[in-house]
Amino acid sequence: TADITLSGGNDRRQLQLRAAGAYTKNFRQGGDDVKAITALYLDYSDSNLDSTLRIGRQTRNSAGVLGRFDGVLYGWQAKPKMRFNIVGGFPVLTSRQTYVLKERYFYGASFDFGGKRSPFQTSLYWFDQHSRGGFIDRRSVGIETRVLRKRFNAYAMVDYDVKYSKLNLGLLTLNYNFPDNSNFSVTADYRQSPLLTTNNALIGQIDAVTFLPITDLRGLRPFFTDAQIYQLAQDRTLVAKSLTASYSRPLSQKLQANI
């Protein structure tokens, strides 16, 4: 495994190149070697332009992007407490995918309000993902909000799919620290499982001739209309709900109670 970062610049420009991955050699006869690329990107920032640019394989878990992708992320700090971001690329299903998978592509934009040290931070975003064949894979609008106080912090996220008119993801986390060092936290989670995308229609679909899984939505068109394919995606998606509450309190210097 290796994780290499090269960086340089001056008081205006900063440049960083990062490559991270792994290679596993299988010495057994007939065994397959395993290659993995977790990150491979070029990052550039310019303080005079108040802009950042990242190109390559990267990971982002906000503004509708939920994981690793191959693409471009651009950010512009319009004001001290206002930032505009645009993103586009191709989802990466696994780090063992050592090439750009072009079956699906996405693009999106987001507005961030509040500085890094602001007690209130909010992001509004729009996200659009498509599959080959002209299918809308996922189309969402959402909001993320953070509250940071001395003893209290909270995070809320809502992702609504405007294509399917369904709540794709709803998350609320609250945490409070009492003066006696005890702590209380609550997490409420509502989500489509797996995440609602049109590609969910492929779950369980087998080619009747080759008996191999169908991996492209276009392979369903000989058997279903587009409206039926969109309905198949919904039928293969469940809703997962969870609510977790926890409380911890120190009883002595060496003993703590947790509920």
Side-chain angles (χ1 to χ4, degrees), residues 121-187:
Q121 303 170 14
T122 300
S123 297
L124 303 173
Y125 67 84
W126 165 74
F127 181 87
D128 206 345
Q129 184 166 289
H130 296 257
S131 293
R132 282 182 174 176
F135 291 97
I136 299 173
D137 194 42
R138 178 175 159 235
R139 179 172 289 166
S140 300
V141 293
I143 182 173
E144 300 174 30
T145 301
R146 295 175 178 83
V147 179
L148 304 172
R149 289 298 196 182
K150 182 178 181 180
R151 296 188 178 278
F152 173 78
N153 64 78
Y155 173 77
M157 175 183 178
V158 173
D159 184 282
Y160 183 80
D161 195 303
V162 296
K163 165 61 182 176
Y164 289 99
S165 299
K166 285 189 175 183
L167 179 63
N168 216 345
L169 176 62
L171 178 65
L172 175 65
T173 299
L174 307 173
N175 187 81
Y176 185 80
N177 294 309
F178 295 93
D180 61 358
N181 291 326
S182 59
N183 176 271
F184 179 72
S185 64
V186 175
T187 298

Side-chain angles (χ1 to χ4, degrees), residues 18-246:
R18 182 183 175 213
Y23 177 81
T24 303
K25 173 68 177 177
N26 192 330
F27 291 96
R28 290 177 293 184
Q29 186 175 2
D32 295 327
D33 299 337
V34 179
K35 302 174 184 178
I37 300 176
T38 55
L40 183 60
Y41 62 79
L42 178 66
D43 194 283
Y44 173 78
S45 62
D46 191 313
S47 59
N48 285 13
L49 299 177
D50 296 319
S51 300
T52 60
L53 178 67
R54 178 174 290 184
I55 303 174
R57 176 160 296 188
Q58 53 194 289
T59 300
R60 182 171 171 84
N61 289 293
S62 62
V65 184
L66 303 176
R68 189 176 289 114
F69 69 96
D70 294 322
V72 178
L73 173 64
Y74 171 77
W76 174 49
Q77 195 74 37
K79 294 182 179 181
K81 294 185 178 182
M82 182 181 295
R83 183 178 179 86
F84 173 69
N85 308 282
I86 56 175
V87 63
F90 306 92
V92 175
L93 303 180
T94 171
S95 61
R96 295 184 179 183
Q97 175 189 315
T98 57
Y99 55 92
V100 178
L101 188 64
K102 298 181 180 180
E103 275 70 12
R104 290 188 287 175
Y105 65 92
F106 68 84
Y107 44 84
S110 63
F111 290 93
D112 302 336
F113 304 94
K116 294 182 179 180
R117 297 184 180 180
S118 300
F120 297 96
Q121 303 170 14
T122 300
S123 297
L124 303 173
Y125 67 84
W126 165 74
F127 181 87
D128 206 345
Q129 184 166 289
H130 296 257
S131 293
R132 282 182 174 176
F135 291 97
I136 299 173
D137 194 42
R138 178 175 159 235
R139 179 172 289 166
S140 300
V141 293
I143 182 173
E144 300 174 30
T145 301
R146 295 175 178 83
V147 179
L148 304 172
R149 289 298 196 182
K150 182 178 181 180
R151 296 188 178 278
F152 173 78
N153 64 78
Y155 173 77
M157 175 183 178
V158 173
D159 184 282
Y160 183 80
D161 195 303
V162 296
K163 165 61 182 176
Y164 289 99
S165 299
K166 285 189 175 183
L167 179 63
N168 216 345
L169 176 62
L171 178 65
L172 175 65
T173 299
L174 307 173
N175 187 81
Y176 185 80
N177 294 309
F178 295 93
D180 61 358
N181 291 326
S182 59
N183 176 271
F184 179 72
S185 64
V186 175
T187 298
D189 191 306
Y190 177 103
R191 66 181 64 207
Q192 303 289 331
S193 180
L195 195 70
L196 180 55
T197 64
T198 305
N199 269 261
N200 290 0
L202 296 171
I203 297 175
Q205 301 290 353
I206 303 296
D207 189 293
V209 177
T210 63
F211 298 102
L212 295 175
I214 299 176
T215 58
D216 191 317
L217 289 173
R218 292 172 296 180
L220 298 178
R221 277 182 166 153
F223 315 103
F224 305 102
T225 65
D226 285 7
Q228 290 174 326
I229 292 174
Y230 285 118
Q231 185 61 48
L232 283 171
Q234 298 185 69
D235 295 342
R236 281 155 175 72
T237 307
L238 301 177
V239 174
K241 307 173 186 178
S242 68
L243 177 64
T244 305
S246 64

